[in-house]
């Protein structure tokens, strides 16, 4: 059995050709300051630019660099999951390839890890280069998620973190298709702490996380770790049924006792549209949970690797 490296670094890549060389240089400089036994695993998630060519060049010149090239784009969380399945370090760092998370912070993460912690995550003190709307929606989402889950998911954090090998092994045993890794890590428990940092503005290219993808990730997070939306559907059903029952009683009372027939086309249409909207909303929530069940029952591979220089 091969001896474990001191540390592995998993880097998902999607259209980052202009960032890869600087990222590599800074990672090497940072990690070499405390160990020479490490590996860098780049996961090319179906990039449409020359990212894979840049990764291939690095691998040819440095035996500590490895690549996993997907057959198409499978998504950020899946790319990270693939890297975690192949890493061979006593601990593993997850870091994005856009240089917004500083590689130099790995030194501090590793020091905290040596202090006995199993998970050390990077907590954002500030987020440069992001719109007010994105910051506010993110803050709102994390606060809501904190309220509806039965365990603590750290606020203002991304996937930039260090994980002990036993945490990585536990994550690899979680087979769900809709990945939300920061929630999965929090669910596992273990000894966790954080390091504060200033998140930088993206240097090159555009973020691969559109608002649509962020919304999808938020839905995955909520449906993965909370049944609260289903409870909400039940409560809405009881509330609307109760209100409807009161309206029926009032209508019958007004017609037979007060001799005042209730009329009004507008009120009828408004109430019908309101109840119809609630029904569609409720069906949508239930559909999300059913969709998750369907994806897991299909048991398709989480990703397809076109080529790699790694052995599992």
């Amino acid at each position: 059995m091969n001896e474990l490296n001191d540390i592995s670094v998993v880097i998902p890549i999607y259209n980052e050709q202009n960032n890869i060389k600087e990222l590599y240089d800074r990672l090497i400089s940072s990690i070499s300051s405390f160990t020479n036994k490490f590996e860098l695993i780049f996961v090319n998630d179906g990039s449409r630019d020359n990212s894979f060519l840049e990764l291939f060049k690095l691998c040819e010149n440095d035996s500590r660099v490895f690549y996993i090239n997907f057959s198409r784009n499978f998504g950020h969380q899946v790319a990270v999951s693939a890297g975690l399945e192949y890493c061979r370090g006593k601990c593993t760092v997850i870091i994005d390839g856009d240089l917004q998370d500083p590689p130099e912070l790995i030194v501090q993460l590793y020091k905290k890890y040596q202090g006995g912690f199993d998970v050390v995550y990077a907590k954002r003190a500030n987020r440069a280069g992001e719109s007010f709307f994105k910051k506010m929606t993110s803050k709102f989402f994390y606060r809501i998620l904190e309220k509806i889950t039965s365990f603590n998911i750290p606020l203002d954090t991304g996937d930039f973190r260090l994980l002990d090998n036993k945490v990585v092994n536990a994550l690899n045993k979680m087979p769900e298709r809709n990945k939300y890794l920061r929630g999965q890590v929090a669910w596992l428990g273990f000894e966790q702490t954080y390091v504060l940092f200033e998140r930088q503005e993206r240097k090159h290219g555009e973020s691969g996380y559109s608002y649509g993808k962020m919304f999808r990730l938020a839905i995955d997070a909520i449906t993965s770790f909370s049944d609260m939306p289903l409870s909400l559907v039940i409560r809405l059903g009881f509330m609307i049924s109760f209100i409807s029952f009161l309206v029926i009683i009032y209508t019958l009372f007004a017609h037979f006792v007060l001799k005042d027939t209730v009329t009004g086309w507008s009120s009828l249409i408004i109430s019908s549209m309101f109840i119809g909207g609630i029904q569609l909303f409720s069906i949508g929530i239930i559909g999300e949970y059913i969709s998750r069940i369907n994806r897991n029952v299909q048991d398709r591979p989480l990703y397809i690797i076109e080529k790699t220089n790694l052995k599992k």
Side-chain angles (χ1 to χ4, degrees), residues 21-164:
K21 184 60 171 66
E22 181 182 347
L23 175 63
Y24 166 79
D25 290 338
R26 291 172 64 180
L27 283 170
I28 294 295
S29 175
S30 175
I31 299 171
S32 297
S33 66
F34 60 86
T35 183
N36 289 316
K37 294 176 61 178
F38 64 89
E39 63 179 359
L40 307 181
I41 301 176
F42 290 88
V43 185
N44 183 40
D45 186 24
S47 296
R48 296 190 298 270
D49 61 3
N50 292 320
S51 291
F52 179 67
L53 180 61
E54 294 296 320
L55 297 178
F56 193 78
K57 290 177 184 177
L58 294 180
C59 295
E60 285 188 321
N61 297 320
D62 192 337
S63 60
R64 300 166 298 183
V65 180
F66 302 92
Y67 69 82
I68 298 172
N69 190 51
F70 282 173
S71 60
R72 64 170 177 84
N73 178 258
F74 284 92
H76 177 272
Q77 299 291 286
V78 173
V80 174
S81 297
L84 293 177
E85 289 187 17
Y86 280 85
C87 62
R88 299 161 295 186
K90 295 176 183 176
C91 64
T92 300
V93 169
I94 303 169
I95 185 171
D96 287 341
D98 54 15
L99 293 173
Q100 289 187 273
D101 299 328
E104 294 75 18
L105 194 69
I106 294 175
V107 177
Q108 295 183 47
L109 298 179
Y110 193 75
K111 285 181 180 178
K112 288 273 190 178
Y113 166 69
Q114 288 183 309
F117 292 97
D118 301 310
V119 177
V120 186
Y121 52 89
K123 186 172 183 177
R124 302 158 181 162
N126 187 39
R127 303 170 67 169
E130 294 185 359
S131 67
F132 174 78
F133 178 75
K134 188 172 183 179
K135 290 179 181 178
M136 288 302 298
T137 52
S138 177
K139 186 179 290 289
F140 177 74
F141 163 69
Y142 279 116
R143 271 61 183 178
I144 290 294
L145 192 60
E146 182 185 33
K147 297 292 184 183
I148 65 175
T149 51
S150 59
F151 57 94
N152 180 44
I153 297 179
L155 299 175
D156 303 318
T157 63
D159 292 313
F160 186 23
R161 62 191 61 210
L162 181 149
L163 309 173
D164 183 79

